[in-house]
Amino acid sequence: MPSTLILGIESSCDETSAAVVRHSASGQAEVLSNVVASQLIHSSYGGVVPELASREHLRAIVPVVRGAMQRAGVAYSDLAAIAVTEGPGLAGALLVGISFAKALAFGADLPLIAVNHLEGHIHAVLMDANTTFADASPLLALVVSGGHTHLYLATRAPERTWRYRNVGKTLDDAAGEAFDKVAKLLGLPYPGGPWIDALAPHGTTDTHLFPLAHIKQKATGNTAPKLSREAVLAPNDDPARFDMSFSGIKTAVRRYVELHHMQPAIAARIEAFRAIGLHQAKPDTTNLARALPHFDSQTLNLIASFQNAVVKNLARSTFHAAEHYGVRGILISGGVSANSELRRSIAATAARHNLPVAFPTIALSTDNAAMIAAAAFPKLFARDFAPGTLEPTPQLRLG
Ligand code: KG4
Ligand code: ZN
């Protein structure tokens, strides 16, 4: 089989992205280009504003796709297909990518492939996980981002395709959403996950601050501390499900802030960040050094303890599910999979269990189009093409 190229387009949330991925004769996927335009405009609002997202996608889509084609050094006539995110995501945001992909496919006489964003995150890892997993199956996939926290049992199916079964999900907030909301509460820029990741090592974790009971079962309404495996089971106590909950810890952080009268310091931090231009910044080394003087040790300890509790909860559910289903390996993906403590903690436990584990590169952890193109290859080989009438499916599920 000669090498095959797919152009992927992703616009489900606040990143406009296009990428060209090559599938070689040996079955290896290679990212030739992966252009991501992040919408900084949402920082001022502390979360994604859907109307603004659509408008920004419209502005960015042409230069982003053109940039991806140029960086890859390919022409439309070199492509085998165009892949686009069908859902889940924001309706208006998805619509921009889908309309553009449909028009391109029509104009260039190429097949169109619809990709589930969640399967895309899984393929961000599978793309170069051959060395980690070889042909092992089933695998357990934790997809953990700003909009999703799911555990999937991923089984190899014929024609290099995969089948997925959802065996756990958050019952309330996604883990990334909890990172972002706690960050906003503490006066940090959006998205807050990377800031919390960068600040946490400067604090000391107090494991008593947020016992796992704070990440309790919302649906059961049970407030009793539950440190056993039962705490991660679904309300119907289905022993084959490993559901999670993150809104309890977010509320616990809010209560801690109120109880310790931290609001004036937070308001001062917001002012200071604005004054020195950090309010829309990413926490690179320089920005982190400029930001640190605006935190007291109590806030840094709170951040470290919060991150530790979320990581412990994710790891606990993942390893309970891995054990229950006797999987041959674990893969972690989605924006939160960029988190340093999550990577360290999961890698250490997996090593103790002698279980292979794989993460995407940091660039492929958060939303990008290379993962959409990568997930489209099995569909291309199975000639599983989307109709010209493809529309967004904002609530699309996987498995
Ligand atoms: O996958 P993604 O780009 O978009 C969704 O599909 O939601 O994930 C974005 C989420 C945000 O909540 C962001 O705060 C979080 O991933 N995130 C992180 C880190 N990098 C991104 N959370 C914790 N630590 C990080 N290093
Ligand atoms: Zn995502």
Side-chain angles (χ1 to χ4, degrees), residues 34-228:
N34 189 23
V35 178
V36 182
S38 297
Q39 304 180 355
L40 290 177
I41 190 163
H42 305 288
S43 307
S44 338
Y45 301 90
V48 178
V49 184
E51 295 76 21
L52 293 182
S54 310
R55 207 184 306 158
E56 292 298 306
H57 283 305
L58 271 177
R59 233 194 287 268
I61 191 94
V62 172
V64 163
V65 171
R66 193 176 289 151
M69 294 295 288
Q70 275 169 359
R71 275 190 215 175
V74 300
Y76 288 116
S77 55
D78 299 323
L79 300 175
I82 292 173
V84 67
T85 306
E86 179 184 7
L90 301 168
L94 288 164
L95 190 59
V96 177
I98 291 178
S99 307
F100 195 79
K102 281 202 301 201
L104 262 187
F106 181 79
D109 197 17
L110 287 167
L112 182 69
I113 299 177
V115 174
N116 184 315
H117 180 85
L118 298 165
E119 186 176 14
H121 274 303
I122 292 174
H123 277 264
V125 186
L126 290 176
M127 203 174 345
D128 36 42
N130 279 356
T131 42
T132 315
F133 298 130
D135 289 328
S137 175
L139 303 175
L140 183 74
L142 169 68
V143 181
V144 57
S145 70
H148 309 277
T149 303
H150 292 289
L151 280 166
Y152 295 103
L153 194 63
T155 313
R156 288 178 196 272
E159 302 284 349
R160 283 173 281 177
T161 57
W162 289 82
R163 260 198 290 275
Y164 307 96
R165 188 171 133 210
N166 188 296
V167 296
K169 63 173 171 40
T170 178
L171 298 173
D172 39 56
D173 290 355
E177 195 181 346
F179 268 102
D180 295 339
K181 285 179 176 167
V182 163
K184 185 180 178 188
L185 184 71
L186 298 177
L188 298 171
Y190 175 87
W195 275 98
I196 289 184
D197 191 358
L199 289 163
H202 298 273
T204 306
T205 297
D206 178 352
T207 49
H208 302 296
L209 212 52
F210 304 115
L212 292 177
H214 275 135
I215 315 178
K216 64 181 186 289
Q217 282 273 341
K218 188 185 175 202
T220 58
N222 188 347
T223 51
K226 278 185 162 182
L227 301 177
S228 69

